[in-house]
Amino acid sequence: MKTNYQEIIKIISDLDIKNYHQNRNYADGSITKISPYISRGIISTKFVLESLKERTDNLTLIGKFLQELAWRDYWQIVWQKKNINVDLKHVQKNVVNFGVPENILNRSTGINVIDKALDDLFSFGYIHNHLRMYIASIVCNIGKCHWHIPAKWFYYHLIDGDWGSNALSWQWVCGTNSSKKYIANQENINKFFYDKQKNTFLDKSYNYLSNCKIPNILENVKTPNLKTEIPHVNCKPIDKKKPILIYNYYNIDPLWRKNLNANRVLLLEPSIFEEYPISDKVFKKFLKLSKNIPGLKIIKSEFGSFAKDYSDSKIYYKEHPFNTHYKGICDQRDWMFKNHSFYPSFYKFWNASKNEIGL
């Protein structure tokens, strides 16, 4: 994963998505792997859109990619308006367990593609979106676990962890945020990830898997111990005569108010990381990405305590659902569309917005 800002910009300028609509679900499809940069606020969905507009004569040719990009903003809008920590539209059906199957945690499901994906998740913090859906389906719909603890566990390991996208995607798979549950079987996995495995607990029909008992291999469930160790940091003094820009886990945009002569503070709030923990590997990647902001001071503190210490300073921050307790001057994020109103479904949002870009 690239962490230098100029290298990240080059990734965006070199995006090749002409075949995205045809092959995005396959192991070797035209996936972009830019989600870690969007999730950390280094770039925005609008930035990606504007980059594509500069070199694409006909946006309808990449309409599917733009639609998937719009999903990210839509999840954020839902997160702004709804409590996404509870079953959103429907109560999850047939819940038996609360936790994660041990054989998922141990990467020993017996399904080659899934166990390899789990290895990659723990080692690199990133896996194909289709694999994410498979894992959520196995945990929630075959293993009959409630989605919330597994979603927290998944978020913990993802370098592109975004609680809005992550929680609402898990809810979509398990049917609490959609009209039906998403079920994957071995045939589907073999097709999209080029395997030939047979005789697994997923080597059944969709109808069977929709109504089956929990397979033995998924019966034992554990609540994973998820904790974030915020590293000790030595911070240089803050100039109280200058305004303060507050950065955080969801905003490390190097271009944000770039020309303002200000203190630039990366605020690490223990309460946020206690409620939504991330792994040491993910934290280290985040800190590397933050180095793209010159003169950034890193402070471990709750916002209230920090603001009290600098009550005479003008404080700026970017809007985000985790920032509702911030006080100061709030800048809107760079939304993909001018329209970022709430709609009860993505496609209502998409149909109300896509005309802005001629789709």
Side-chain angles (χ1 to χ4, degrees), residues 139-157:
V139 172
C140 295
N141 301 335
I142 309 302
K144 296 179 171 50
C145 294
H146 188 267
W147 66 270
H148 192 254
I149 293 174
K152 283 280 192 77
W153 156 76
F154 216 62
Y155 175 85
Y156 179 82
H157 290 287

Side-chain angles (χ1 to χ4, degrees), residues 203-217:
D203 196 14
K204 309 287 185 181
S205 70
Y206 287 116
N207 185 59
Y208 175 88
L209 292 172
S210 297
N211 302 283
C212 68
K213 294 181 179 179
I214 301 174
N216 292 339
I217 202 164

Side-chain angles (χ1 to χ4, degrees), residues 119-150:
D119 279 339
D120 289 344
L121 174 66
F122 295 160
S123 298
F124 308 114
Y126 187 92
I127 56 174
H128 194 293
N129 187 61
H130 212 168
L131 291 168
R132 302 183 192 205
M133 294 169 63
Y134 291 155
I135 292 168
S137 178
I138 291 169
V139 172
C140 295
N141 301 335
I142 309 302
K144 296 179 171 50
C145 294
H146 188 267
W147 66 270
H148 192 254
I149 293 174

Side-chain angles (χ1 to χ4, degrees), residues 4-104:
N4 176 270
Y5 184 70
Q6 294 305 319
E7 291 178 327
I8 294 168
I9 298 306
K10 188 174 188 308
I11 291 172
I12 304 303
S13 64
D14 290 345
L15 284 179
D16 181 7
I17 52 173
K18 60 181 180 294
N19 296 318
Y20 180 86
H21 66 292
Q22 295 175 323
N23 63 21
R24 66 190 179 91
N25 286 327
Y26 287 87
D28 54 354
S30 301
I31 58 174
T32 64
K33 296 185 179 181
I34 63 173
S35 53
Y37 311 121
I38 297 175
S39 296
R40 299 287 68 79
I42 293 179
I43 57 172
S44 64
T45 52
K46 181 180 178 180
F47 184 92
V48 178
L49 171 63
E50 294 300 323
S51 175
L52 292 169
K53 285 169 66 175
E54 288 178 0
R55 51 197 173 87
T56 306
D57 295 330
N58 185 356
L59 289 180
T60 58
L61 298 177
I62 57 170
K64 186 59 181 177
F65 175 78
L66 296 178
Q67 189 179 84
E68 292 300 312
L69 196 63
W71 269 103
R72 301 191 67 85
D73 274 11
Y74 179 69
W75 289 145
Q76 297 298 305
I77 294 166
V78 174
W79 189 8
Q80 284 182 326
K81 302 297 183 182
K82 301 289 184 178
N83 178 4
I84 64 171
N85 284 304
V86 299
D87 296 358
L88 194 60
K89 294 180 179 179
H90 316 286
V91 174
Q92 185 178 340
K93 296 178 180 179
N94 301 321
V95 171
V96 175
N97 293 313
F98 291 83
V100 185
E102 289 189 10
N103 284 318
I104 289 284

Side-chain angles (χ1 to χ4, degrees), residues 178-195:
S178 56
S179 58
K180 61 180 181 179
K181 295 185 177 186
Y182 171 80
I183 302 291
N185 68 4
Q186 189 67 51
E187 181 182 11
N188 186 279
I189 293 172
N190 288 348
K191 174 184 175 181
F192 288 103
F193 288 84
Y194 309 121
D195 203 10

Side-chain angles (χ1 to χ4, degrees), residues 252-291:
I252 44 176
D253 177 6
L255 301 185
W256 177 46
R257 292 188 176 266
K258 184 177 180 180
N259 296 323
L260 181 65
N261 183 17
N263 299 285
R264 300 178 188 276
V265 173
L266 177 60
L267 189 66
L268 305 177
E269 292 189 277
S271 61
I272 294 293
F273 291 105
E274 182 176 350
E275 181 66 20
Y276 300 93
I278 59 175
S279 72
D280 289 344
K281 289 181 180 179
V282 172
F283 207 108
K284 288 175 182 177
K285 288 287 186 182
F286 160 56
L287 291 180
K288 282 186 178 180
L289 289 168
S290 74
K291 291 181 179 179

